[in-house]
Amino acid sequence: MGDKSATANLRSIWRCRDRTLDLCRVHVMGILNVTPDSFSDGGRYLDPDAAVARAREMVESGAEILDIGGESTRPGATPATVEEELRRVLPVVERLAASDLILSVDTSKAAVAKAALDAGAQIVNDITALRGDPDMAPVVAQYGAGVVLMHMQGTPRTMQKEPSYADVVADIAAFFEERRAAAKDAGIADDRIVFDPGIGFGKTVDHNLTILKRLGEFEALGRPLLLGPSRKRFIGAVLGTDVDDRLEGTAAAVAAGVLAGAAIVRVHDVKAMSRVARMAEAIRRGAAAGSPAADRGD
Ligand code: HH2
Protein backbone atom coordinates (compact mmCIF):
# COMPACT_ATOMS: atom_id res chain seq x y z
CA MET A 1 0.00 0.00 0.00
CA GLY A 2 2.78 2.42 0.97
CA ASP A 3 4.76 1.51 -2.16
CA LYS A 4 1.70 1.90 -4.36
CA SER A 5 0.93 5.44 -3.19
CA ALA A 6 4.61 6.41 -3.43
CA THR A 7 4.53 5.33 -7.08
CA ALA A 8 1.30 7.22 -7.65
CA ASN A 9 2.88 10.35 -6.17
CA LEU A 10 5.91 10.11 -8.38
CA ARG A 11 3.70 9.72 -11.42
CA SER A 12 1.87 12.90 -10.46
CA ILE A 13 4.95 15.09 -10.21
CA TRP A 14 5.39 17.51 -13.10
CA ARG A 15 8.77 19.19 -13.28
CA CYS A 16 8.71 22.50 -15.13
CA ARG A 17 12.17 24.11 -15.06
CA ASP A 18 12.72 25.21 -11.43
CA ARG A 19 9.15 24.42 -10.35
CA THR A 20 7.68 21.12 -9.28
CA LEU A 21 3.93 20.73 -9.48
CA ASP A 22 2.19 18.09 -7.39
CA LEU A 23 -0.60 16.91 -9.68
CA CYS A 24 -2.08 14.59 -7.05
CA ARG A 25 -4.20 17.70 -6.62
CA VAL A 26 -6.19 19.04 -9.58
CA HIS A 27 -4.81 22.29 -11.04
CA VAL A 28 -6.74 24.87 -13.04
CA MET A 29 -5.02 26.34 -16.08
CA GLY A 30 -6.54 29.69 -17.04
CA ILE A 31 -6.67 30.50 -20.77
CA LEU A 32 -5.26 33.85 -21.84
CA ASN A 33 -5.65 34.27 -25.59
CA VAL A 34 -3.75 37.30 -26.80
CA THR A 35 -5.24 36.96 -30.28
CA PRO A 36 -7.70 38.83 -32.48
CA ASP A 37 -9.56 35.69 -33.54
CA SER A 38 -9.74 32.98 -30.84
CA PHE A 39 -13.04 31.16 -30.99
CA SER A 40 -14.55 32.44 -27.76
CA ASP A 41 -12.49 35.38 -26.49
CA GLY A 42 -10.69 36.68 -29.60
CA GLY A 43 -9.78 40.37 -29.46
CA ARG A 44 -10.56 40.88 -25.78
CA TYR A 45 -7.01 40.70 -24.42
CA LEU A 46 -4.86 41.92 -27.33
CA ASP A 47 -3.85 44.96 -25.32
CA PRO A 48 -1.14 43.87 -22.81
CA ASP A 49 -2.76 45.89 -20.00
CA ALA A 50 -6.06 44.09 -20.55
CA ALA A 51 -4.23 40.74 -20.70
CA VAL A 52 -2.36 41.34 -17.45
CA ALA A 53 -5.56 42.48 -15.71
CA ARG A 54 -7.33 39.34 -16.94
CA ALA A 55 -4.41 37.20 -15.72
CA ARG A 56 -4.63 38.70 -12.22
CA GLU A 57 -8.38 38.14 -12.19
CA MET A 58 -7.92 34.48 -13.15
CA VAL A 59 -5.30 33.93 -10.45
CA GLU A 60 -7.57 35.47 -7.81
CA SER A 61 -10.32 33.14 -9.05
CA GLY A 62 -8.22 30.01 -8.57
CA ALA A 63 -5.95 29.54 -11.61
CA GLU A 64 -2.56 28.11 -10.70
CA ILE A 65 -1.19 28.03 -14.23
CA LEU A 66 -1.79 30.60 -16.98
CA ASP A 67 -1.67 29.48 -20.60
CA ILE A 68 -0.78 32.39 -22.86
CA GLY A 69 -1.43 31.97 -26.58
CA GLY A 70 -0.79 34.31 -29.52
CA GLU A 71 -2.28 32.23 -32.33
CA SER A 72 -5.79 30.85 -32.65
CA THR A 73 -6.03 27.14 -33.42
CA ARG A 74 -9.71 27.12 -34.29
CA PRO A 75 -10.53 25.33 -37.56
CA GLY A 76 -9.71 27.63 -40.48
CA ALA A 77 -7.90 30.31 -38.41
CA THR A 78 -5.22 32.32 -40.21
CA PRO A 79 -1.75 31.28 -38.99
CA ALA A 80 0.27 34.01 -37.23
CA THR A 81 3.88 34.72 -38.24
CA VAL A 82 6.63 34.23 -35.64
CA GLU A 83 7.03 38.01 -35.40
CA GLU A 84 3.31 38.56 -34.86
CA GLU A 85 3.06 35.82 -32.25
CA LEU A 86 6.09 37.18 -30.40
CA ARG A 87 4.68 40.70 -30.51
CA ARG A 88 1.45 39.47 -28.91
CA VAL A 89 2.82 37.05 -26.34
CA LEU A 90 6.14 38.39 -25.11
CA PRO A 91 5.04 41.63 -23.42
CA VAL A 92 2.46 39.68 -21.43
CA VAL A 93 4.89 36.92 -20.40
CA GLU A 94 7.49 39.51 -19.42
CA ARG A 95 5.08 41.39 -17.20
CA LEU A 96 3.61 38.28 -15.57
CA ALA A 97 6.98 36.59 -15.04
CA ALA A 98 7.81 39.23 -12.44
CA SER A 99 5.15 37.64 -10.20
CA ASP A 100 5.36 34.12 -8.85
CA LEU A 101 2.93 32.58 -11.36
CA ILE A 102 3.43 29.42 -13.34
CA LEU A 103 3.31 30.44 -16.99
CA SER A 104 2.67 28.25 -19.98
CA VAL A 105 3.05 29.39 -23.57
CA ASP A 106 0.59 27.93 -26.06
CA THR A 107 2.68 27.72 -29.22
CA SER A 108 3.98 25.33 -31.86
CA LYS A 109 6.85 27.59 -32.84
CA ALA A 110 10.27 26.96 -31.26
CA ALA A 111 11.30 30.62 -31.56
CA VAL A 112 8.21 31.73 -29.63
CA ALA A 113 8.69 29.03 -27.00
CA LYS A 114 12.36 29.96 -26.56
CA ALA A 115 11.62 33.66 -26.19
CA ALA A 116 8.86 32.95 -23.66
CA LEU A 117 11.15 30.62 -21.68
CA ASP A 118 13.87 33.28 -21.73
CA ALA A 119 11.30 35.73 -20.39
CA GLY A 120 10.44 33.38 -17.51
CA ALA A 121 7.76 30.90 -18.67
CA GLN A 122 8.00 27.34 -17.30
CA ILE A 123 5.77 25.31 -19.64
CA VAL A 124 5.39 24.83 -23.40
CA ASN A 125 1.88 23.81 -24.45
CA ASP A 126 2.37 22.47 -27.96
CA ILE A 127 -0.78 21.34 -29.77
CA THR A 128 1.41 19.53 -32.32
CA ALA A 129 3.15 17.50 -29.59
CA LEU A 130 6.62 18.54 -30.87
CA ARG A 131 5.82 17.65 -34.50
CA GLY A 132 5.23 21.19 -35.81
CA ASP A 133 8.75 22.58 -35.59
CA PRO A 134 11.92 20.44 -35.58
CA ASP A 135 13.57 22.88 -33.17
CA MET A 136 10.85 22.62 -30.53
CA ALA A 137 11.98 19.40 -28.79
CA PRO A 138 15.61 20.62 -28.43
CA VAL A 139 14.35 23.91 -26.92
CA VAL A 140 12.12 22.12 -24.39
CA ALA A 141 15.00 19.77 -23.50
CA GLN A 142 17.56 22.55 -23.19
CA TYR A 143 15.42 24.59 -20.77
CA GLY A 144 14.06 21.62 -18.81
CA ALA A 145 10.60 23.03 -19.48
CA GLY A 146 7.38 21.24 -18.69
CA VAL A 147 5.63 20.23 -21.90
CA VAL A 148 2.04 19.42 -22.82
CA LEU A 149 1.93 16.84 -25.60
CA MET A 150 -1.51 17.16 -27.18
CA HIS A 151 -3.12 14.81 -29.66
CA MET A 152 -4.42 16.24 -32.91
CA GLN A 153 -5.43 14.41 -36.08
CA GLY A 154 -4.49 16.56 -39.08
CA THR A 155 -3.78 20.28 -38.74
CA PRO A 156 -6.04 23.12 -37.54
CA ARG A 157 -6.82 23.81 -41.21
CA THR A 158 -7.88 20.25 -42.05
CA MET A 159 -8.66 18.57 -38.74
CA GLN A 160 -12.45 18.72 -38.83
CA LYS A 161 -12.69 17.18 -42.33
CA GLU A 162 -13.98 13.68 -41.55
CA PRO A 163 -11.77 12.68 -38.62
CA SER A 164 -11.66 8.90 -38.24
CA TYR A 165 -10.16 6.36 -35.84
CA ALA A 166 -10.11 2.59 -35.44
CA ASP A 167 -10.64 3.18 -31.70
CA VAL A 168 -10.29 6.80 -30.67
CA VAL A 169 -8.93 6.10 -27.16
CA ALA A 170 -6.53 3.33 -28.19
CA ASP A 171 -5.30 5.36 -31.18
CA ILE A 172 -4.62 8.40 -28.99
CA ALA A 173 -2.85 6.25 -26.38
CA ALA A 174 -0.59 4.83 -29.12
CA PHE A 175 0.10 8.37 -30.32
CA PHE A 176 1.08 9.39 -26.77
CA GLU A 177 3.55 6.51 -26.51
CA GLU A 178 5.06 7.43 -29.87
CA ARG A 179 5.46 11.10 -28.87
CA ARG A 180 6.82 10.13 -25.46
CA ALA A 181 9.55 8.08 -27.21
CA ALA A 182 10.33 11.01 -29.54
CA ALA A 183 10.58 13.33 -26.52
CA LYS A 184 12.89 10.88 -24.76
CA ASP A 185 15.12 10.70 -27.84
CA ALA A 186 15.36 14.50 -27.75
CA GLY A 187 16.44 14.41 -24.09
CA ILE A 188 13.10 15.33 -22.48
CA ALA A 189 12.60 13.40 -19.24
CA ASP A 190 9.28 11.66 -18.59
CA ASP A 191 8.60 13.80 -15.51
CA ARG A 192 8.45 16.91 -17.76
CA ILE A 193 5.55 15.50 -19.79
CA VAL A 194 1.80 15.86 -19.46
CA PHE A 195 -0.55 14.33 -22.06
CA ASP A 196 -3.70 15.90 -23.49
CA PRO A 197 -6.19 14.02 -25.72
CA GLY A 198 -6.95 17.27 -27.59
CA ILE A 199 -10.69 17.75 -27.28
CA GLY A 200 -11.93 19.25 -30.57
CA PHE A 201 -8.72 18.68 -32.52
CA GLY A 202 -9.62 16.28 -35.36
CA LYS A 203 -12.56 14.73 -33.51
CA THR A 204 -16.27 14.41 -34.13
CA VAL A 205 -18.72 15.23 -31.36
CA ASP A 206 -18.95 11.52 -30.53
CA HIS A 207 -15.17 11.13 -30.48
CA ASN A 208 -14.98 13.93 -27.88
CA LEU A 209 -17.73 12.37 -25.78
CA THR A 210 -16.08 8.95 -26.00
CA ILE A 211 -12.75 10.41 -24.87
CA LEU A 212 -14.47 11.93 -21.84
CA LYS A 213 -16.34 8.73 -21.07
CA ARG A 214 -13.21 6.58 -21.30
CA LEU A 215 -10.63 9.08 -20.01
CA GLY A 216 -9.69 6.73 -17.14
CA GLU A 217 -8.08 4.36 -19.66
CA PHE A 218 -5.20 6.80 -20.13
CA GLU A 219 -4.16 6.25 -16.53
CA ALA A 220 -2.15 3.25 -17.71
CA LEU A 221 0.29 5.69 -19.38
CA GLY A 222 1.49 6.72 -15.95
CA ARG A 223 1.62 10.44 -16.69
CA PRO A 224 -0.86 13.19 -15.69
CA LEU A 225 -3.57 14.27 -18.10
CA LEU A 226 -4.64 17.76 -19.12
CA LEU A 227 -8.13 18.30 -20.50
CA GLY A 228 -9.35 21.29 -22.52
CA PRO A 229 -13.13 21.08 -23.08
CA SER A 230 -13.86 24.74 -22.31
CA ARG A 231 -16.74 26.24 -24.37
CA LYS A 232 -15.97 23.89 -27.26
CA ARG A 233 -18.27 23.02 -30.13
CA PHE A 234 -19.16 19.51 -28.92
CA ILE A 235 -20.94 21.18 -26.00
CA GLY A 236 -22.89 23.37 -28.40
CA ALA A 237 -23.76 20.26 -30.41
CA VAL A 238 -25.21 18.47 -27.38
CA LEU A 239 -26.99 21.43 -25.77
CA GLY A 240 -27.74 23.55 -28.83
CA THR A 241 -26.08 26.59 -27.23
CA ASP A 242 -23.78 29.26 -28.71
CA VAL A 243 -20.17 29.73 -27.67
CA ASP A 244 -21.09 32.34 -25.05
CA ASP A 245 -23.62 30.01 -23.45
CA ARG A 246 -21.63 26.87 -22.65
CA LEU A 247 -20.82 27.31 -18.97
CA GLU A 248 -22.91 24.40 -17.70
CA GLY A 249 -21.77 22.12 -20.51
CA THR A 250 -18.16 22.98 -19.71
CA ALA A 251 -18.88 22.29 -16.03
CA ALA A 252 -20.24 18.83 -16.84
CA ALA A 253 -17.18 18.04 -18.96
CA VAL A 254 -14.78 19.32 -16.27
CA ALA A 255 -16.56 17.29 -13.59
CA ALA A 256 -16.53 14.15 -15.73
CA GLY A 257 -12.87 14.72 -16.57
CA VAL A 258 -11.79 15.21 -12.97
CA LEU A 259 -13.80 12.19 -11.80
CA ALA A 260 -12.01 10.12 -14.45
CA GLY A 261 -8.60 11.34 -13.29
CA ALA A 262 -7.73 14.57 -15.18
CA ALA A 263 -5.00 16.43 -13.30
CA ILE A 264 -5.23 19.80 -15.07
CA VAL A 265 -8.25 21.47 -16.63
CA ARG A 266 -7.68 24.25 -19.17
CA VAL A 267 -10.60 26.68 -18.94
CA HIS A 268 -11.81 30.21 -19.69
CA ASP A 269 -14.31 30.47 -16.80
CA VAL A 270 -11.81 30.07 -14.01
CA LYS A 271 -13.91 30.97 -10.98
CA ALA A 272 -16.78 28.63 -11.80
CA MET A 273 -14.56 25.79 -13.06
CA SER A 274 -12.24 25.96 -10.03
CA ARG A 275 -15.27 25.24 -7.88
CA VAL A 276 -16.49 22.49 -10.17
CA ALA A 277 -13.03 20.92 -10.22
CA ARG A 278 -12.61 21.13 -6.43
CA MET A 279 -16.02 19.58 -5.86
CA ALA A 280 -15.44 16.80 -8.38
CA GLU A 281 -12.04 16.16 -6.83
CA ALA A 282 -13.56 15.88 -3.35
CA ILE A 283 -16.06 13.35 -4.70
CA ARG A 284 -13.24 11.45 -6.44
CA ARG A 285 -11.37 11.25 -3.14
CA GLY A 286 -14.45 10.68 -1.03
CA ALA A 287 -12.99 13.27 1.34
CA ALA A 288 -13.14 17.03 1.72
CA ALA A 289 -9.48 17.54 2.49
CA GLY A 290 -8.89 20.68 4.53
CA SER A 291 -12.54 21.64 4.84
CA PRO A 292 -13.58 22.76 8.33
CA ALA A 293 -17.10 21.55 7.58
CA ALA A 294 -15.82 18.09 6.75
CA ASP A 295 -17.17 16.37 9.83
CA ARG A 296 -20.15 18.54 10.54
CA GLY A 297 -22.55 16.98 8.08
CA ASP A 298 -23.97 20.32 6.90
N1 HH2 B 1 -7.48 23.98 -26.96
C1 HH2 B 1 -7.28 25.16 -27.60
C2 HH2 B 1 -6.00 25.72 -27.65
N2 HH2 B 1 -4.95 25.12 -27.06
N3 HH2 B 1 -4.07 23.35 -25.77
C3 HH2 B 1 -4.24 22.20 -25.12
N4 HH2 B 1 -3.21 21.59 -24.52
N5 HH2 B 1 -5.48 21.59 -25.05
C4 HH2 B 1 -6.58 22.13 -25.64
O1 HH2 B 1 -7.67 21.51 -25.57
C5 HH2 B 1 -6.43 23.36 -26.35
C6 HH2 B 1 -5.13 23.96 -26.39
C7 HH2 B 1 -8.44 25.84 -28.24
O2 HH2 B 1 -9.08 26.70 -27.33
P1 HH2 B 1 -8.82 28.26 -27.22
O3 HH2 B 1 -7.41 28.55 -26.82
O4 HH2 B 1 -9.83 28.86 -26.33
O5 HH2 B 1 -9.12 28.83 -28.67
P2 HH2 B 1 -8.21 29.31 -29.87
O6 HH2 B 1 -7.37 28.18 -30.30
O7 HH2 B 1 -9.21 29.72 -30.91
O8 HH2 B 1 -7.37 30.46 -29.37
Side-chain angles (χ1 to χ4, degrees):
M1 194 61 195
D3 280 345
K4 210 172 158 192
S5 61
T7 312
N9 284 341
L10 211 62
R11 288 171 157 205
S12 303
I13 292 294
W14 192 22
R15 292 193 208 282
C16 307
R17 304 189 75 185
D18 57 339
R19 306 291 189 88
T20 299
L21 277 69
D22 175 6
L23 298 183
C24 284
R25 212 169 40 73
V26 176
H27 284 55
V28 172
M29 174 185 262
I31 302 170
L32 190 55
N33 284 322
V34 198
T35 60
D37 55 351
S38 285
F39 79 95
S40 85
D41 56 358
R44 289 185 63 185
Y45 309 114
L46 258 181
D47 169 41
D49 285 339
V52 169
R54 175 66 186 144
R56 300 225 161 94
E57 191 180 37
M58 287 197 286
V59 170
E60 274 160 30
S61 302
E64 290 164 291
I65 308 168
L66 294 178
D67 189 36
I68 303 160
E71 177 180 55
S72 174
T73 56
R74 76 184 157 74
T78 315
T81 62
V82 174
E83 293 72 29
E84 185 59 41
E85 215 178 306
L86 281 171
R87 205 177 57 73
R88 292 173 186 168
V89 165
L90 259 199
V92 181
V93 174
E94 280 165 0
R95 282 176 58 181
L96 293 175
S99 52
D100 208 24
L101 298 170
I102 296 178
L103 301 180
S104 159
V105 59
D106 186 351
T107 189
S108 313
K109 298 185 182 77
V112 175
K114 187 174 186 316
L117 292 165
D118 279 334
Q122 286 86 16
I123 296 167
V124 177
N125 173 23
D126 182 2
I127 61 156
T128 74
L130 308 175
R131 297 173 299 160
D133 183 332
D135 294 331
M136 185 63 108
V139 166
V140 170
Q142 181 197 340
Y143 283 79
V147 63
V148 180
L149 299 180
M150 196 197 79
H151 175 271
M152 167 169 55
Q153 188 177 85
T155 65
R157 228 168 239 288
T158 62
M159 64 192 181
Q160 290 311 114
K161 290 183 186 142
E162 297 179 34
S164 83
Y165 299 87
D167 175 323
V168 66
V169 173
D171 291 5
I172 292 172
F175 172 87
F176 286 155
E177 288 297 11
E178 189 266 315
R179 296 320 299 157
R180 169 188 238 163
K184 189 177 175 196
D185 286 347
I188 300 169
D190 223 36
D191 61 6
R192 311 271 160 180
I193 294 173
V194 158
F195 293 120
D196 177 348
I199 295 285
F201 286 86
K203 280 109 188 165
T204 63
V205 171
D206 287 359
H207 289 142
N208 291 313
L209 295 169
T210 302
I211 289 166
L212 278 166
K213 180 180 174 189
R214 294 174 50 196
L215 199 72
E217 293 178 34
F218 293 119
E219 203 185 324
L221 293 160
R223 286 306 300 154
L225 281 189
L226 184 151
L227 196 67
S230 191
R231 300 181 184 171
K232 284 188 178 163
R233 203 180 56 82
F234 78 107
I235 296 169
V238 173
L239 298 181
T241 55
D242 288 335
V243 68
D244 56 359
D245 191 14
R246 294 181 183 163
L247 186 74
E248 300 89 344
T250 301
V254 166
V258 170
L259 283 171
I264 303 173
V265 286
R266 180 184 182 277
V267 293
H268 302 89
D269 304 288
V270 170
K271 185 174 177 190
M273 294 314 139
S274 292
R275 289 179 175 173
V276 170
R278 265 169 46 214
M279 194 66 212
E281 187 178 12
I283 296 168
R284 182 171 93 192
R285 285 180 198 278
S291 160
D295 299 320
R296 277 209 316 259
D298 57 0

